[in-house]
Amino acid sequence: MGSDTKVASAVRKVLPAWQIARAANNRTALEMLKTRAYELVLTGEETSGKQDVELLRQIRTVRPHVRLIIITSESTPADVIGAMRERAFSYFSKPYSMTTFEQMLLLATTGPVWDEGIEILSATPQLLQLVARCDRKTADRLVQFIHEIADLPMKERDAVGLAFREMLMNAIEHGAHFNAQQHVEISYIRAKHMVLCRVKDPGEGFSLDEVQHAAINNPPSDPIRHAAIREQQGLRPGGFGILVTQKIIDELIYGETGNEVVLIKYLKPEQLETEGS
């Protein structure tokens, strides 16, 4: 739906062989879905997040498993939470990264059943608790949702999002070994002067001193030693997650066994004054 030029261009680029139908508004879109099973629905930027969540509620009564990506110019954290409860595939509010949007489009058109991957346990704009399936697609979707929920200036939002992604991927890869039958526990807290994220994986844990495949333990004389160790262990290239996170987050706290980590980002008064800008 919608006629935004950038969105339309992205759809043609990522899905060149797909047949595309347009709807003038949400009401027309719902009527179209009643008569035909579309594989993917995109909302238009001219409607608000609240309106699109209501559309999604109605769609679920006729097409329970259709993938829907909300694109909007007007959004609140409560709208994003509502979209997650109604099992939206993803959510984008302006301004957003077209590269990330294109990646999400591709994710939405590949893979098996997807809509049980994220389960909300409790949710307000200030405190979100959920469990997520341990696979890359679910992780990418969850990172985008958290990015939209974070009521922060863009610089701080990007920093929190990057740090959260690094710790989430560590939990899914090293804690759960990409076992889609396992789940990670996630908590997001937005207090007045800080943001806190907690990630707990189902693994047995580890000690930071023992993680030789991570850049954090490289000696000064060999800053890329971990790369050779990762290759020997058959791990993907990387290993900079903890090091990067420590540089952009104010506090990184691990639990006793190492399978639980808390990220804290403190907000300065000038950041609070520009919030939402």
Side-chain angles (χ1 to χ4, degrees):
M1 296 187 300
S3 58
D4 183 88
T5 303
K6 291 184 178 180
V7 171
S9 297
V11 173
R12 288 193 296 268
K13 174 183 175 182
V14 177
L15 309 172
W18 279 46
Q19 294 182 351
I20 301 173
R22 296 182 180 273
N25 50 51
N26 283 3
R27 180 180 298 178
T28 303
L30 181 60
E31 293 304 314
M32 291 169 62
L33 283 157
K34 288 179 180 179
T35 60
R36 180 178 174 183
Y38 292 89
E39 292 190 46
L40 175 64
V41 178
L42 308 177
T43 67
E45 293 181 351
E46 66 276 3
T47 51
S48 68
K50 184 176 182 179
Q51 290 172 317
D52 290 341
V53 171
E54 179 56 33
L55 170 65
L56 181 53
R57 289 194 185 99
Q58 297 177 51
I59 287 176
R60 287 287 172 247
T61 65
V62 293
R63 302 293 176 189
H65 299 291
V66 68
R67 293 166 168 84
L68 183 141
I69 298 176
I70 289 177
I71 310 169
T72 181
S73 298
E74 181 184 334
S75 178
T76 67
D79 295 333
V80 184
I81 290 171
M84 294 177 71
R85 288 190 184 279
E86 297 299 329
R87 306 189 316 280
F89 188 85
S90 193
Y91 194 109
F92 291 85
S93 63
K94 281 189 169 182
Y96 57 88
S97 163
M98 288 305 300
T99 299
T100 302
F101 175 68
E102 290 176 3
Q103 293 170 345
M104 200 60 63
L105 268 181
L106 187 60
L107 283 180
T109 58
T110 58
V113 176
W114 56 274
D115 50 358
E116 77 285 2
I118 300 173
E119 178 186 356
I120 291 181
L121 303 178
S122 176
T124 71
Q126 291 76 41
L127 174 58
L128 174 65
Q129 295 176 297
L130 55 85
V131 292
R133 188 172 54 199
C134 293
D135 64 71
R136 288 185 178 92
K137 176 183 285 190
T138 300
D140 288 339
R141 293 177 57 224
L142 182 55
V143 168
Q144 180 59 28
F145 279 126
I146 294 296
H147 184 272
E148 290 291 338
I149 290 172
D151 191 14
L152 299 167
M154 189 58 68
K155 182 178 179 181
E156 285 68 36
R157 182 185 301 190
D158 288 343
V160 170
L162 176 58
F164 173 69
R165 178 184 178 81
E166 292 294 342
M167 294 301 96
L168 178 61
M169 290 305 299
N170 276 354
I172 288 176
E173 179 177 9
H174 301 296
H177 307 290
F178 293 117
N179 181 353
Q181 302 302 314
Q182 301 278 1
H183 291 79
V184 291
E185 300 176 15
I186 308 292
S187 296
Y188 170 84
I189 298 174
R190 172 64 161 95
K192 183 176 181 180
H193 296 290
M194 74 171 188
V195 173
L196 182 151
C197 296
R198 168 184 172 268
V199 180
K200 183 178 181 181
D201 66 58
E204 298 179 356
F206 67 95
S207 168
L208 281 177
D209 295 334
E210 299 172 354
V211 186
Q212 298 305 311
H213 59 262
I216 192 173
N217 284 322
N218 288 337
S221 59
D222 191 356
I224 60 171
R225 182 189 65 174
H226 76 288
I229 296 174
R230 294 180 71 87
E231 184 176 357
Q232 293 171 4
Q233 296 179 358
L235 299 175
R236 63 176 174 82
F240 295 95
I242 297 175
L243 193 62
V244 169
T245 301
Q246 286 183 331
K247 291 183 179 297
I248 59 179
I249 292 295
D250 295 305
E251 295 195 49
L252 186 65
I253 305 170
Y254 277 91
E256 181 178 7
T257 60
N259 70 333
E260 181 176 9
V261 63
V262 175
L263 301 81
I264 301 175
K265 179 70 173 177
Y266 295 109
L267 303 176
K268 300 176 182 179
E270 60 267 25
Q271 294 168 337
L272 294 171
E273 291 173 1
T274 60
E275 186 173 320
S277 61

